[in-house]
Amino acid sequence: MERVLERYERYLLCEGGDAMEEQHEETQGNLSYDHIKLRSRIEALQKSKRNLMGEQLESLTFREIQQLEHQIGSALRNIRSRKDHILLNSMEELRKKERFLTEQKSVLEKEKEALDASLHANAASSTAAEPALPNLNVCAGDSDEPGPPPAAIGLPWWMLRPPDANQQLERH
């Protein structure tokens, strides 16, 4: 394919050298025209931007100012419409989240109630099944709770005395 293109270029150079020059000049003319068109378009857009920003309004006619006002008004309506649309979508998403969280809360409350009920049932059955713990009170006469007498536990005599007696012995 490349060889075919090379042969075609050679043919054009040999046979139609003048045609290539004309085509090149024509292309340059089109590019120049496009360049001028784009340059004027850029300048018009920059002027429009300055006018929309409120700059250089002195040179505008009454009609142009009315058109500018209408253009700004329609742009403002579009912006407000877009903002309202975004807010409505956001509110809808938040409502969905609220419903989901409310459902989650009710499910968790039911689970909590079931766990509380099972804990109460387990506590009631475990207290009935377990024997009472023995009283390990060391001092005789200090407690009204039933339990074996302190001498039966097998403690030394000095541990069986009331605390006041121990303090009196330390003072003497």
Side-chain angles (χ1 to χ4, degrees), residues 131-166:
L133 296 175
N135 182 5
L136 298 177
N137 191 359
V138 185
C139 300
D142 285 350
S143 174
D144 293 332
E145 295 181 36
I153 297 177
L155 295 174
W157 64 269
W158 54 270
M159 291 182 83
L160 298 177
R161 272 189 268 163
D164 293 335
N166 286 337

Side-chain angles (χ1 to χ4, degrees), residues 25-39:
E25 289 174 9
E26 188 177 312
T27 304
Q28 286 293 344
N30 286 340
L31 289 177
S32 176
Y33 176 72
D34 289 341
H35 176 74
I36 292 170
K37 238 170 80 173
L38 289 175
R39 176 69 93 190

